[in-house]
Amino acid sequence: YRDLHTFELQAPTRVIEWARGSRVCVAGYGQSTGNEILQLIPPPALQAKEAQGLCPERDFKVECGGFSKRPVYSLKHVPDTSLLVTSGPPDSSLQVWQVSAEDSDVIKSVGTIATENATGKPWAKIATLSARAPWVLHGSTLDSVQITEVELRKNVYTAGCQDGEELAGLAFLDGSTAVLCCARGRLCVADVRQPRGALQALPAPAAPCGHRWCLGTACAAQGPGLGAQPVARLSSGGLLTLTDLRKASEPLASATARVPSPGSGAEFLCVSWAPALQGCLAVSGFDGTVHVYDTQSWDSSGREAEPVFVHKGHALDGSGDPALVTVHTWHPQKPRTVLSAASNGSLHVWDWVQP
């Protein structure tokens, strides 16, 4: 490591989101009422544009917070606003939160984005964008995908699809295009300029039946359109596939992550591209580690890939059981800086050194 900071949360979190002013938002996912939503100020060393040498203050600080009556399974900051959007059981509705001004330390609920037939559906996957207006893309199944203008609570797009397959993830590629990933690995591309446009369905990767998938894309602000960065998919069996959406008939590359005892569970699967490091992605959700891979030498063989770095810092929880990494995310500007959280409530930010 070049640097490592730790923070102990009151409850485990499965969301880490960068917000305004390089703040970090986290939230609890327990089943009881009163799940915390916190906005944290990172350690000064993490906010500096260049190395500052020894720094006496190495901890996160809580800047403001609030409580959600439901578990928070996904949280996104709405760019260019002070709003957060969250989702979680027991249905597919969204909750909207206001991060208060500097003279207050409260994150307060300001409304709900209801969805049609939300009751009984899985929790909604969400993505945000401000290319035209503050938008949230959300849905729990292919036939429930829509875009809502957050401040006006106005629907601006609904996917023209009758397929009720469960979604594993979704993302904006730019202000005109979104990609959707089904739980069984199939990709669909949506042109959001067409209010009820049909989805372009792409083939699912070859994988054993029963595997579930998750999605990783580049940030929509990093580059325009379909060719900015391959779309990464990770299966619960450890298979990684990279797809160029301009030529999606076959994978651009594939490999198998070095994961212990891959199974069918996929609750915390996470794959993400490094925004400031060409060809690097990180994988977590199988155990207490985060693996970093350099994909630039990958081919289509699917053979096991060697990680360039493995973060093993999340210790055992109080019961002696191994902690499970629930989520990770990259720092938006610092190339090798990653934040990760685990089931024991530990939050780590680490800067790894290239071997």
Side-chain angles (χ1 to χ4, degrees):
Y1 297 97
R2 183 178 290 110
D3 209 354
L4 172 65
H5 304 268
T6 66
F7 184 71
E8 295 303 319
L9 300 166
Q10 293 299 309
T13 181
R14 60 186 295 163
V15 294
I16 302 174
E17 174 74 357
W18 289 100
R20 297 187 306 169
S22 293
R23 299 314 197 243
V24 177
C25 292
V26 298
Y29 65 88
Q31 297 301 319
S32 61
T33 58
N35 294 284
E36 281 189 306
I37 299 177
L38 302 175
Q39 181 165 284
L40 307 176
I41 301 175
L46 192 63
Q47 302 179 70
K49 292 185 177 180
E50 55 188 44
Q52 300 294 302
L54 292 175
C55 181
E57 181 55 65
R58 297 183 56 81
D59 213 347
F60 288 84
K61 291 184 177 179
V62 177
E63 183 174 37
C64 54
F67 288 94
S68 170
K69 293 182 179 179
R70 59 171 68 199
V72 179
Y73 278 25
S74 186
L75 180 153
K76 296 293 180 183
H77 172 245
V78 183
D80 303 324
T81 75
S82 58
L83 298 175
L84 304 174
V85 180
T86 64
S87 66
D91 56 39
S92 62
S93 63
L94 309 185
Q95 290 67 53
V96 184
W97 305 82
Q98 174 79 53
V99 179
S100 301
E102 294 180 359
D103 57 349
S104 173
D105 60 359
V106 176
I107 297 176
K108 61 181 180 180
S109 174
V110 293
T112 299
I113 297 176
T115 55
E116 187 176 351
N117 300 321
T119 303
K121 286 200 172 184
W123 59 279
K125 298 359 179 238
I126 54 179
T128 53
L129 186 76
S130 64
R132 304 179 186 180
W135 282 1
V136 56
L137 170 70
H138 56 103
S140 58
T141 55
L142 274 179
D143 58 358
S144 68
V145 172
Q146 62 187 73
I147 295 175
T148 302
E149 206 286 331
V150 179
E151 293 176 325
L152 301 177
R153 311 288 197 274
K154 177 185 176 183
N155 178 272
V156 295
Y157 169 82
T158 300
C161 178
Q162 301 301 315
D163 190 331
E165 186 174 352
E166 184 182 350
L167 283 175
L170 43 71
F172 283 106
L173 297 175
D174 56 26
S176 303
T177 316
V179 62
L180 320 171
C181 180
C182 298
R184 294 198 294 264
R186 184 162 59 108
L187 289 180
C188 294
V189 178
D191 184 342
V192 303
R193 295 168 296 185
Q194 303 176 32
R196 290 197 65 87
L199 300 176
Q200 177 191 355
L202 307 176
C209 182
H211 283 203
R212 293 176 63 88
W213 294 77
C214 69
L215 173 74
T217 65
C219 173
Q222 286 179 245
L226 301 181
Q229 179 89 292
V231 170
R233 280 171 287 178
L234 169 67
S235 83
S236 54
L239 180 63
L240 282 157
T241 67
L242 311 181
T243 303
D244 184 339
L245 293 179
R246 299 166 300 181
K247 299 175 290 184
S249 58
E250 58 184 34
L252 183 66
S254 63
T256 301
R258 183 176 291 181
V259 297
S261 305
S264 59
E267 184 177 8
F268 299 119
L269 282 187
C270 186
V271 57
S272 63
W273 286 106
L277 204 60
Q278 183 66 32
C280 269
L281 57 73
V283 167
S284 66
F286 295 94
D287 57 9
T289 66
V290 182
H291 288 203
V292 178
Y293 293 93
D294 184 349
T295 69
Q296 295 181 88
S297 63
W298 287 8
D299 54 26
S300 58
S301 67
R303 64 173 178 262
E304 184 174 278
E306 180 76 25
V308 296
F309 188 81
V310 180
H311 175 60
K312 302 178 181 179
H314 292 281
L316 298 177
D317 63 23
S319 66
D321 295 326
L324 175 65
V325 173
T326 54
V327 68
H328 73 264
T329 189
W330 295 82
H331 191 286
Q333 288 90 35
K334 294 179 180 290
R336 292 190 175 90
T337 300
V338 183
L339 281 82
S340 56
S343 55
N344 60 2
S346 58
L347 175 66
H348 291 180
V349 53
W350 39 279
D351 195 337
W352 55 282
V353 178
Q354 181 74 40

